Amino acid sequence: MTSSPQPPTDPTEPTGHTDPAHSGSGHGHGHSHSHSHGPAAPVSKHLRKVIAAVLIPFAAAVVVGLAVLWPGGAPDHERSGVGFDRQTQQGTVTSLERVDCKSVNASQVPPTGDTSTPEGREAQAAQTGECKKATIEVGTGPDKGRTFVEIVQPGAPRQLAKGQGVVVAYAPDAPRDLQYSVIDVNRKLPMALLAGIFAVAVVVVGRMRGVFALIALVISFGVLTLFILPAILQGSNPLLVAVVGASAIMLIALYMCHGLTARTSVAVLGTLVSLLLIGLLGSVFIDWAFLSGNTDDNTGLIHGLYPNIDMSGLLLAGVIIGSLGVLDDVTVTQTSAVWELHQADPSMGSRALYRAAIRIGRDHIASVVNTLVLAYAGAALPLLLLFSIANSSMGSVANSELVAEEIVRTLVGSIGLVASVPLTTVLAALVVSADRPGSPGAGPASGPVRGGRGRRRKR
Protein backbone atom coordinates (compact mmCIF):
# COMPACT_ATOMS: atom_id res chain seq x y z
CA MET A 1 0.00 0.00 0.00
CA THR A 2 1.13 3.59 -0.55
CA SER A 3 0.57 4.59 3.08
CA SER A 4 3.87 3.16 4.29
CA PRO A 5 6.65 3.46 1.75
CA GLN A 6 10.03 2.02 2.68
CA PRO A 7 12.73 4.43 1.49
CA PRO A 8 15.92 2.52 0.73
CA THR A 9 18.13 5.28 2.13
CA ASP A 10 16.58 5.24 5.62
CA PRO A 11 17.95 2.43 7.78
CA THR A 12 15.66 3.28 10.65
CA GLU A 13 12.56 1.78 9.05
CA PRO A 14 13.40 -1.83 8.18
CA THR A 15 10.94 -3.76 6.16
CA GLY A 16 9.75 -6.72 8.10
CA HIS A 17 9.61 -5.30 11.62
CA THR A 18 6.13 -3.96 11.36
CA ASP A 19 4.61 -7.28 12.36
CA PRO A 20 4.82 -7.33 16.17
CA ALA A 21 3.40 -10.81 16.36
CA HIS A 22 6.59 -12.19 14.84
CA SER A 23 9.15 -9.67 16.09
CA GLY A 24 10.23 -11.94 18.92
CA SER A 25 10.76 -14.96 16.67
CA GLY A 26 13.40 -15.51 14.06
CA HIS A 27 16.14 -15.22 16.69
CA GLY A 28 19.26 -14.20 14.82
CA HIS A 29 17.30 -12.27 12.24
CA GLY A 30 15.47 -10.19 14.84
CA HIS A 31 18.65 -9.54 16.80
CA SER A 32 20.43 -8.30 13.70
CA HIS A 33 17.69 -5.82 12.89
CA SER A 34 17.52 -4.45 16.40
CA HIS A 35 21.16 -3.34 16.20
CA SER A 36 21.68 -2.59 12.53
CA HIS A 37 18.48 -0.90 11.50
CA GLY A 38 16.75 0.36 14.62
CA PRO A 39 13.19 -0.29 15.71
CA ALA A 40 10.20 -0.17 13.48
CA ALA A 41 8.33 3.08 13.00
CA PRO A 42 4.57 3.32 13.33
CA VAL A 43 2.90 2.70 10.01
CA SER A 44 -0.65 3.54 10.95
CA LYS A 45 -2.13 5.64 8.18
CA HIS A 46 -4.15 7.65 10.68
CA LEU A 47 -1.11 8.47 12.83
CA ARG A 48 0.89 9.52 9.81
CA LYS A 49 -1.90 11.89 8.84
CA VAL A 50 -2.07 13.36 12.36
CA ILE A 51 1.69 13.92 12.53
CA ALA A 52 1.72 15.40 9.03
CA ALA A 53 -1.19 17.72 9.93
CA VAL A 54 0.98 19.22 12.70
CA LEU A 55 4.41 19.25 11.07
CA ILE A 56 3.58 20.29 7.50
CA PRO A 57 1.98 23.64 8.54
CA PHE A 58 4.89 24.18 10.94
CA ALA A 59 7.47 23.51 8.20
CA ALA A 60 5.53 25.75 5.82
CA ALA A 61 5.55 28.55 8.42
CA VAL A 62 9.32 28.16 8.82
CA VAL A 63 9.83 28.43 5.04
CA VAL A 64 7.62 31.54 4.91
CA GLY A 65 9.54 33.02 7.85
CA LEU A 66 12.85 32.40 6.11
CA ALA A 67 11.56 34.03 2.93
CA VAL A 68 10.13 37.10 4.70
CA LEU A 69 13.09 37.68 7.03
CA TRP A 70 15.87 36.67 4.63
CA PRO A 71 18.41 39.52 4.85
CA GLY A 72 20.46 39.13 1.68
CA GLY A 73 23.76 39.74 3.47
CA ALA A 74 25.03 41.78 6.39
CA PRO A 75 24.55 45.56 6.05
CA ASP A 76 27.63 47.67 5.31
CA HIS A 77 29.01 50.10 7.87
CA GLU A 78 32.01 52.33 8.30
CA ARG A 79 34.66 50.50 10.30
CA SER A 80 35.30 51.94 13.74
CA GLY A 81 38.78 50.46 14.14
CA VAL A 82 37.85 49.10 17.58
CA GLY A 83 37.97 45.48 18.70
CA PHE A 84 36.89 43.06 15.96
CA ASP A 85 35.72 45.95 13.78
CA ARG A 86 39.13 46.52 12.19
CA GLN A 87 40.63 45.94 8.79
CA THR A 88 42.97 42.97 9.01
CA GLN A 89 45.58 41.34 6.81
CA GLN A 90 47.85 38.32 7.11
CA GLY A 91 51.55 38.64 7.91
CA THR A 92 54.67 36.64 8.75
CA VAL A 93 57.43 37.19 11.31
CA THR A 94 60.55 37.41 9.14
CA SER A 95 63.13 38.14 11.86
CA LEU A 96 63.38 38.37 15.64
CA GLU A 97 66.00 40.37 17.56
CA ARG A 98 66.52 40.58 21.33
CA VAL A 99 66.84 44.15 22.60
CA ASP A 100 66.88 45.94 25.94
CA CYS A 101 63.36 47.09 26.82
CA LYS A 102 64.65 50.41 28.17
CA SER A 103 66.37 51.22 24.87
CA VAL A 104 63.09 50.98 22.95
CA ASN A 105 60.96 52.50 25.75
CA ALA A 106 58.71 49.44 25.64
CA SER A 107 57.82 49.76 29.31
CA GLN A 108 56.10 53.13 28.86
CA VAL A 109 57.03 54.36 32.36
CA PRO A 110 55.01 57.44 33.36
CA PRO A 111 57.03 60.67 32.98
CA THR A 112 56.67 61.30 36.72
CA GLY A 113 58.10 57.89 37.56
CA ASP A 114 54.99 57.15 39.66
CA THR A 115 55.04 53.49 40.74
CA SER A 116 52.20 53.70 43.27
CA THR A 117 49.77 52.02 40.85
CA PRO A 118 49.96 48.43 39.58
CA GLU A 119 50.46 49.77 36.05
CA GLY A 120 53.35 51.97 37.11
CA ARG A 121 55.07 49.18 39.04
CA GLU A 122 54.65 46.78 36.11
CA ALA A 123 56.10 49.35 33.72
CA GLN A 124 59.04 50.03 36.04
CA ALA A 125 59.79 46.30 36.30
CA ALA A 126 59.69 45.93 32.52
CA GLN A 127 62.56 48.38 32.15
CA THR A 128 65.04 45.77 33.31
CA GLY A 129 63.72 43.01 31.02
CA GLU A 130 64.75 41.85 27.57
CA CYS A 131 62.28 42.55 24.78
CA LYS A 132 61.95 41.09 21.30
CA LYS A 133 62.05 43.27 18.22
CA ALA A 134 60.03 41.46 15.55
CA THR A 135 60.02 42.40 11.88
CA ILE A 136 56.67 41.59 10.27
CA GLU A 137 56.04 41.31 6.54
CA VAL A 138 52.51 41.97 5.33
CA GLY A 139 51.43 39.07 3.13
CA THR A 140 48.03 40.19 1.82
CA GLY A 141 46.26 43.36 0.75
CA PRO A 142 47.43 46.43 -1.18
CA ASP A 143 50.60 46.75 0.93
CA LYS A 144 51.75 43.17 0.36
CA GLY A 145 55.49 42.92 0.96
CA ARG A 146 55.65 45.92 3.28
CA THR A 147 57.45 45.41 6.61
CA PHE A 148 57.02 46.97 10.03
CA VAL A 149 58.48 46.48 13.50
CA GLU A 150 56.65 45.14 16.56
CA ILE A 151 58.11 45.25 20.09
CA VAL A 152 57.14 42.29 22.29
CA GLN A 153 57.61 42.72 26.04
CA PRO A 154 58.85 39.75 28.11
CA GLY A 155 55.63 39.56 30.12
CA ALA A 156 53.29 39.81 27.13
CA PRO A 157 50.76 36.94 26.92
CA ARG A 158 51.41 36.54 23.19
CA GLN A 159 55.01 35.81 22.22
CA LEU A 160 56.21 35.65 18.62
CA ALA A 161 58.61 33.29 16.85
CA LYS A 162 60.48 33.59 13.55
CA GLY A 163 58.42 32.27 10.63
CA GLN A 164 55.17 32.45 12.57
CA GLY A 165 52.02 33.58 10.78
CA VAL A 166 50.23 36.52 12.38
CA VAL A 167 47.12 38.64 11.91
CA VAL A 168 47.81 42.35 11.59
CA ALA A 169 45.43 45.26 11.96
CA TYR A 170 45.48 48.07 9.41
CA ALA A 171 44.59 51.64 10.39
CA PRO A 172 44.65 53.74 7.17
CA ASP A 173 44.17 57.06 9.00
CA ALA A 174 47.13 56.55 11.34
CA PRO A 175 50.69 57.79 10.63
CA ARG A 176 52.53 55.52 8.21
CA ASP A 177 54.78 53.99 10.88
CA LEU A 178 51.76 53.13 13.03
CA GLN A 179 49.35 51.85 10.38
CA TYR A 180 50.09 48.16 11.02
CA SER A 181 50.19 46.24 14.31
CA VAL A 182 50.03 42.59 15.32
CA ILE A 183 46.72 41.67 16.97
CA ASP A 184 46.78 37.87 16.89
CA VAL A 185 48.56 34.78 15.58
CA ASN A 186 47.42 32.69 12.61
CA ARG A 187 45.82 29.49 13.92
CA LYS A 188 44.20 28.31 10.69
CA LEU A 189 46.36 25.21 10.22
CA PRO A 190 45.87 23.63 13.69
CA MET A 191 42.18 24.54 13.65
CA ALA A 192 41.71 22.99 10.20
CA LEU A 193 43.63 19.87 11.26
CA LEU A 194 41.50 19.49 14.39
CA ALA A 195 38.32 19.90 12.31
CA GLY A 196 39.60 17.22 9.92
CA ILE A 197 40.29 14.80 12.78
CA PHE A 198 36.79 15.45 14.12
CA ALA A 199 35.21 14.79 10.71
CA VAL A 200 37.16 11.56 10.22
CA ALA A 201 36.23 10.33 13.72
CA VAL A 202 32.55 11.05 13.09
CA VAL A 203 32.55 9.23 9.74
CA VAL A 204 34.57 6.24 11.00
CA VAL A 205 32.27 5.69 13.98
CA GLY A 206 28.97 6.91 12.55
CA ARG A 207 29.50 5.77 8.93
CA MET A 208 26.66 7.08 6.73
CA ARG A 209 24.89 8.60 9.71
CA GLY A 210 28.13 10.39 10.51
CA VAL A 211 28.30 11.73 6.96
CA PHE A 212 24.73 13.02 7.20
CA ALA A 213 25.50 14.54 10.62
CA LEU A 214 28.44 16.47 9.14
CA ILE A 215 26.28 17.68 6.25
CA ALA A 216 23.62 18.80 8.73
CA LEU A 217 26.31 20.59 10.75
CA VAL A 218 27.45 22.51 7.67
CA ILE A 219 23.84 23.45 6.85
CA SER A 220 23.23 24.57 10.44
CA PHE A 221 26.32 26.77 10.31
CA GLY A 222 25.10 28.14 6.97
CA VAL A 223 21.70 29.07 8.45
CA LEU A 224 23.46 30.78 11.34
CA THR A 225 25.87 32.83 9.20
CA LEU A 226 23.67 33.49 6.15
CA PHE A 227 20.32 34.07 7.87
CA ILE A 228 20.34 34.53 11.65
CA LEU A 229 23.29 36.90 12.05
CA PRO A 230 22.62 39.17 9.01
CA ALA A 231 18.89 39.32 9.77
CA ILE A 232 19.58 40.50 13.34
CA LEU A 233 22.08 43.08 12.06
CA GLN A 234 19.47 44.42 9.63
CA GLY A 235 17.17 45.18 12.54
CA SER A 236 14.74 42.23 12.49
CA ASN A 237 13.39 41.07 15.84
CA PRO A 238 16.14 38.83 17.31
CA LEU A 239 13.61 36.54 19.01
CA LEU A 240 11.62 35.99 15.81
CA VAL A 241 14.79 35.43 13.81
CA ALA A 242 16.10 32.94 16.39
CA VAL A 243 12.83 30.99 16.47
CA VAL A 244 12.65 30.73 12.66
CA GLY A 245 16.35 29.94 12.29
CA ALA A 246 16.41 27.41 15.13
CA SER A 247 13.30 25.71 13.73
CA ALA A 248 14.91 25.44 10.29
CA ILE A 249 18.08 23.97 11.81
CA MET A 250 16.03 21.53 13.87
CA LEU A 251 13.99 20.26 10.91
CA ILE A 252 17.00 19.88 8.62
CA ALA A 253 19.31 18.32 11.20
CA LEU A 254 16.87 15.84 12.73
CA TYR A 255 15.34 14.57 9.50
CA MET A 256 18.69 14.40 7.72
CA CYS A 257 20.41 12.52 10.54
CA HIS A 258 17.55 10.26 11.63
CA GLY A 259 15.41 9.83 8.54
CA LEU A 260 11.93 10.95 7.52
CA THR A 261 10.13 8.72 10.01
CA ALA A 262 7.36 8.99 12.57
CA ARG A 263 9.95 8.48 15.31
CA THR A 264 11.89 11.55 14.14
CA SER A 265 8.65 13.51 13.85
CA VAL A 266 7.86 12.84 17.50
CA ALA A 267 11.35 14.11 18.45
CA VAL A 268 10.72 17.23 16.36
CA LEU A 269 7.41 17.87 18.14
CA GLY A 270 9.02 17.43 21.56
CA THR A 271 11.87 19.77 20.63
CA LEU A 272 9.47 22.38 19.25
CA VAL A 273 7.30 22.52 22.37
CA SER A 274 10.38 22.65 24.60
CA LEU A 275 11.82 25.54 22.57
CA LEU A 276 8.56 27.42 22.95
CA LEU A 277 8.71 26.90 26.72
CA ILE A 278 12.34 28.12 26.82
CA GLY A 279 11.39 31.20 24.77
CA LEU A 280 8.48 32.02 27.09
CA LEU A 281 10.45 31.56 30.31
CA GLY A 282 13.45 33.42 28.91
CA SER A 283 11.34 36.38 27.84
CA VAL A 284 9.63 36.63 31.24
CA PHE A 285 12.78 36.38 33.37
CA ILE A 286 15.02 38.53 31.16
CA ASP A 287 12.46 41.35 31.43
CA TRP A 288 11.79 40.73 35.13
CA ALA A 289 15.51 40.74 36.01
CA PHE A 290 16.12 43.86 33.85
CA LEU A 291 18.88 42.17 31.86
CA SER A 292 19.97 44.55 29.10
CA GLY A 293 22.22 42.12 27.20
CA ASN A 294 24.84 44.88 26.93
CA THR A 295 27.43 43.82 29.46
CA ASP A 296 30.89 43.78 27.85
CA ASP A 297 33.01 45.47 25.19
CA ASN A 298 31.75 43.25 22.38
CA THR A 299 28.05 43.82 23.04
CA GLY A 300 28.78 47.52 23.60
CA LEU A 301 30.48 47.70 20.21
CA ILE A 302 27.54 45.94 18.54
CA HIS A 303 25.10 48.38 20.16
CA GLY A 304 27.27 51.32 19.09
CA LEU A 305 27.45 50.19 15.47
CA TYR A 306 23.83 49.04 15.23
CA PRO A 307 21.78 50.94 17.83
CA ASN A 308 18.52 49.53 16.46
CA ILE A 309 19.35 46.00 17.65
CA ASP A 310 17.32 44.91 20.68
CA MET A 311 20.13 43.68 22.95
CA SER A 312 17.83 41.96 25.44
CA GLY A 313 16.16 40.22 22.51
CA LEU A 314 19.61 39.21 21.30
CA LEU A 315 20.27 37.65 24.71
CA LEU A 316 17.03 35.66 24.49
CA ALA A 317 17.90 34.55 20.95
CA GLY A 318 21.20 33.23 22.28
CA VAL A 319 19.38 31.26 24.98
CA ILE A 320 17.12 29.59 22.39
CA ILE A 321 19.89 28.73 19.93
CA GLY A 322 22.20 27.55 22.71
CA SER A 323 19.56 25.18 24.07
CA LEU A 324 18.66 23.66 20.69
CA GLY A 325 21.65 21.32 20.36
CA VAL A 326 21.16 19.67 23.74
CA LEU A 327 17.40 19.51 23.22
CA ASP A 328 17.86 17.54 20.01
CA ASP A 329 19.97 15.00 21.88
CA VAL A 330 17.45 14.58 24.70
CA THR A 331 14.34 14.27 22.53
CA VAL A 332 15.91 11.84 20.05
CA THR A 333 17.25 9.69 22.88
CA GLN A 334 13.90 9.52 24.65
CA THR A 335 12.01 8.76 21.46
CA SER A 336 14.45 6.01 20.54
CA ALA A 337 14.18 4.54 24.04
CA VAL A 338 10.39 4.26 23.71
CA TRP A 339 10.69 2.63 20.28
CA GLU A 340 13.26 0.12 21.53
CA LEU A 341 11.11 -0.78 24.54
CA HIS A 342 8.09 -1.27 22.30
CA GLN A 343 10.09 -3.51 19.98
CA ALA A 344 11.34 -5.59 22.93
CA ASP A 345 7.79 -6.03 24.26
CA PRO A 346 5.04 -5.06 21.77
CA SER A 347 2.37 -5.85 24.37
CA MET A 348 3.36 -2.88 26.56
CA GLY A 349 0.75 -0.14 26.73
CA SER A 350 1.39 3.57 26.72
CA ARG A 351 1.57 3.81 30.54
CA ALA A 352 4.04 0.95 30.85
CA LEU A 353 6.16 2.41 28.04
CA TYR A 354 6.17 5.80 29.73
CA ARG A 355 7.16 4.43 33.12
CA ALA A 356 10.01 2.41 31.62
CA ALA A 357 11.31 5.20 29.39
CA ILE A 358 11.08 7.93 32.01
CA ARG A 359 13.54 6.00 34.17
CA ILE A 360 16.04 6.34 31.33
CA GLY A 361 15.10 10.00 31.01
CA ARG A 362 15.82 10.73 34.67
CA ASP A 363 19.40 9.54 34.26
CA HIS A 364 19.69 11.68 31.14
CA ILE A 365 18.32 14.74 32.95
CA ALA A 366 20.88 14.46 35.73
CA SER A 367 23.84 14.26 33.34
CA VAL A 368 22.63 16.92 30.89
CA VAL A 369 21.80 19.53 33.56
CA ASN A 370 25.17 19.01 35.20
CA THR A 371 26.82 19.36 31.79
CA LEU A 372 25.07 22.66 31.10
CA VAL A 373 25.96 24.19 34.45
CA LEU A 374 29.61 23.17 34.17
CA ALA A 375 29.80 24.41 30.57
CA TYR A 376 28.56 27.86 31.51
CA ALA A 377 30.72 27.94 34.64
CA GLY A 378 33.77 27.03 32.58
CA ALA A 379 33.04 29.78 30.06
CA ALA A 380 32.67 32.35 32.87
CA LEU A 381 35.63 31.09 34.93
CA PRO A 382 37.82 34.21 34.47
CA LEU A 383 34.90 36.38 35.54
CA LEU A 384 34.28 34.22 38.62
CA LEU A 385 37.97 34.49 39.48
CA LEU A 386 37.71 38.29 39.43
CA PHE A 387 34.83 38.17 41.88
CA SER A 388 36.80 35.79 44.07
CA ILE A 389 39.79 38.16 44.08
CA ALA A 390 37.49 41.00 45.13
CA ASN A 391 36.17 38.86 48.03
CA SER A 392 32.62 39.40 46.83
CA SER A 393 29.83 37.42 48.45
CA MET A 394 27.86 34.86 46.46
CA GLY A 395 24.83 37.13 46.61
CA SER A 396 26.77 40.03 45.12
CA VAL A 397 28.23 37.82 42.42
CA ALA A 398 24.84 36.40 41.42
CA ASN A 399 23.27 39.86 41.42
CA SER A 400 25.75 41.34 38.95
CA GLU A 401 24.36 41.49 35.43
CA LEU A 402 27.28 39.58 33.93
CA VAL A 403 26.67 36.56 36.15
CA ALA A 404 22.89 36.99 36.26
CA GLU A 405 22.80 36.59 32.47
CA GLU A 406 24.59 33.25 32.71
CA ILE A 407 22.35 32.12 35.58
CA VAL A 408 19.18 32.94 33.64
CA ARG A 409 20.63 31.33 30.51
CA THR A 410 21.54 28.17 32.39
CA LEU A 411 18.36 27.79 34.42
CA VAL A 412 15.95 28.61 31.59
CA GLY A 413 17.72 26.17 29.28
CA SER A 414 17.79 23.50 31.99
CA ILE A 415 14.07 23.89 32.71
CA GLY A 416 13.35 23.39 29.02
CA LEU A 417 15.56 20.31 28.95
CA VAL A 418 13.93 18.83 32.03
CA ALA A 419 10.46 19.46 30.62
CA SER A 420 11.40 17.92 27.26
CA VAL A 421 11.98 14.49 28.81
CA PRO A 422 8.45 13.70 30.10
CA LEU A 423 6.87 15.63 27.24
CA THR A 424 8.69 13.72 24.50
CA THR A 425 8.29 10.43 26.35
CA VAL A 426 4.51 10.90 26.57
CA LEU A 427 4.24 11.77 22.88
CA ALA A 428 6.38 8.80 21.84
CA ALA A 429 4.50 6.38 24.10
CA LEU A 430 1.11 7.50 22.79
CA VAL A 431 2.22 7.31 19.16
CA VAL A 432 3.97 3.94 19.28
CA SER A 433 1.33 2.25 21.45
CA ALA A 434 -1.40 3.38 19.06
CA ASP A 435 0.00 0.95 16.50
CA ARG A 436 -1.01 -2.16 18.36
CA PRO A 437 -1.12 -5.55 16.60
CA GLY A 438 -4.18 -5.57 14.44
CA SER A 439 -4.62 -1.81 14.40
CA PRO A 440 -6.21 -0.51 11.22
CA GLY A 441 -3.63 -0.12 8.53
CA ALA A 442 -0.76 -1.49 10.62
CA GLY A 443 -0.76 -5.04 9.36
CA PRO A 444 -1.20 -4.70 5.61
CA ALA A 445 0.83 -1.50 5.50
CA SER A 446 4.12 -3.31 5.54
CA GLY A 447 2.83 -6.46 3.94
CA PRO A 448 5.78 -8.82 4.48
CA VAL A 449 5.37 -12.39 3.34
CA ARG A 450 7.11 -14.98 5.48
CA GLY A 451 8.76 -17.70 3.53
CA GLY A 452 10.83 -20.64 4.71
CA ARG A 453 12.41 -20.95 8.19
CA GLY A 454 11.27 -17.59 9.50
CA ARG A 455 12.83 -15.41 6.80
CA ARG A 456 10.81 -12.59 5.38
CA ARG A 457 10.39 -11.89 1.72
CA LYS A 458 9.49 -8.42 0.49
CA ARG A 459 6.71 -8.00 -1.98
Side-chain angles (χ1 to χ4, degrees):
M1 295 180 65
T2 58
S3 61
S4 59
Q6 302 293 332
T9 58
D10 181 12
T12 61
E13 287 192 79
T15 306
H17 265 267
T18 54
D19 184 6
H22 298 92
S23 61
S25 59
H27 303 292
H29 178 78
H31 179 79
S32 171
H33 274 266
S34 65
H35 288 276
S36 302
H37 301 284
V43 294
S44 167
K45 196 172 183 179
H46 174 69
L47 281 177
R48 288 179 180 270
K49 288 182 177 180
V50 171
I51 294 173
V54 176
L55 290 179
I56 289 178
F58 169 63
V62 171
V63 172
V64 171
L66 288 172
V68 171
L69 298 174
W70 192 263
D76 295 328
H77 72 280
E78 185 177 351
R79 290 187 179 274
S80 65
V82 179
F84 290 104
D85 193 41
R86 289 181 282 189
Q87 297 183 43
T88 60
Q89 301 293 343
Q90 300 298 315
T92 305
V93 180
T94 57
S95 66
L96 207 60
E97 180 185 354
R98 296 184 182 276
V99 296
D100 182 45
C101 290
K102 189 174 183 179
S103 66
V104 293
N105 196 25
S107 57
Q108 298 294 322
V109 178
T112 59
D114 182 15
T115 58
S116 60
T117 63
E119 293 82 2
R121 289 192 295 271
E122 182 180 350
Q124 182 70 37
Q127 274 193 319
T128 59
E130 189 178 51
C131 292
K132 294 178 180 178
K133 183 179 179 181
T135 301
I136 315 295
E137 180 180 344
V138 179
T140 58
D143 291 331
K144 181 178 180 181
R146 177 178 167 181
T147 61
F148 66 95
V149 173
E150 183 88 6
I151 303 299
V152 183
Q153 297 185 30
R158 181 178 60 246
Q159 296 294 316
L160 300 179
K162 185 177 180 180
Q164 184 177 31
V166 294
V167 180
V168 298
Y170 174 56
D173 298 331
R176 180 174 174 80
D177 292 342
L178 301 176
Q179 285 182 335
Y180 284 96
S181 60
V182 176
I183 59 172
D184 210 341
V185 299
N186 191 328
R187 304 181 180 88
K188 291 182 179 179
L189 179 58
M191 299 296 286
L193 179 60
L194 182 60
I197 294 173
F198 164 74
V200 170
V202 170
V203 173
V204 168
V205 177
R207 299 188 180 182
M208 283 307 299
R209 283 188 180 273
V211 173
F212 285 123
L214 290 177
I215 295 174
L217 179 62
V218 172
I219 294 175
S220 299
F221 188 75
V223 172
L224 181 65
T225 55
L226 299 178
F227 171 70
I228 295 178
L229 299 181
I232 292 175
L233 289 178
Q234 284 199 346
S236 299
N237 185 290
L239 176 58
L240 183 60
V241 171
V243 169
V244 173
S247 299
I249 291 173
M250 174 185 65
L251 289 171
I252 294 170
L254 286 181
Y255 281 118
M256 179 170 288
C257 294
H258 303 286
L260 192 63
T261 64
R263 178 172 63 181
T264 307
S265 299
V266 172
V268 168
L269 289 174
T271 304
L272 172 62
V273 177
S274 301
L275 279 179
L276 294 176
L277 176 61
I278 289 173
L280 177 62
L281 286 175
S283 179
V284 169
F285 283 94
I286 286 174
D287 289 341
W288 195 4
F290 296 99
L291 298 178
S292 65
N294 189 359
T295 54
D296 56 25
D297 293 340
N298 293 328
T299 53
L301 177 60
I302 292 171
H303 186 63
L305 294 174
Y306 300 95
N308 293 328
I309 293 179
D310 179 9
M311 299 305 293
S312 60
L314 185 62
L315 173 61
L316 179 57
V319 173
I320 293 174
I321 295 173
S323 302
L324 177 61
V326 188
L327 268 178
D328 288 351
D329 173 47
V330 172
T331 54
V332 169
T333 299
Q334 283 306 110
T335 307
S336 297
V338 172
W339 252 257
E340 292 286 353
L341 289 168
H342 176 69
Q343 184 189 21
D345 185 3
S347 64
M348 293 178 68
S350 57
R351 291 186 179 182
L353 283 172
Y354 175 81
R355 285 195 298 267
I358 200 65
R359 288 194 290 269
I360 301 173
R362 292 190 185 106
D363 291 336
H364 206 182
I365 286 174
S367 61
V368 167
V369 169
N370 194 44
T371 299
L372 273 182
V373 172
L374 291 179
Y376 285 124
L381 197 57
L383 177 64
L384 297 178
L385 282 176
L386 287 177
F387 282 108
S388 179
I389 293 171
N391 292 323
S392 301
S393 65
M394 289 300 296
S396 299
V397 172
N399 189 65
S400 66
E401 185 169 2
L402 276 172
V403 178
E405 278 189 5
E406 299 304 324
I407 291 175
V408 170
R409 195 193 311 268
T410 302
L411 295 182
V412 167
S414 298
I415 291 171
L417 289 173
V418 170
S420 70
V421 171
L423 176 65
T424 307
T425 306
V426 166
L427 287 174
L430 291 175
V431 169
V432 76
S433 63
D435 284 301
R436 308 290 293 173
S439 63
S446 57
V449 178
R450 299 182 62 86
R453 302 188 63 179
R455 293 187 177 269
R456 299 185 178 184
R457 186 172 65 251
K458 296 180 183 179
R459 286 184 176 180

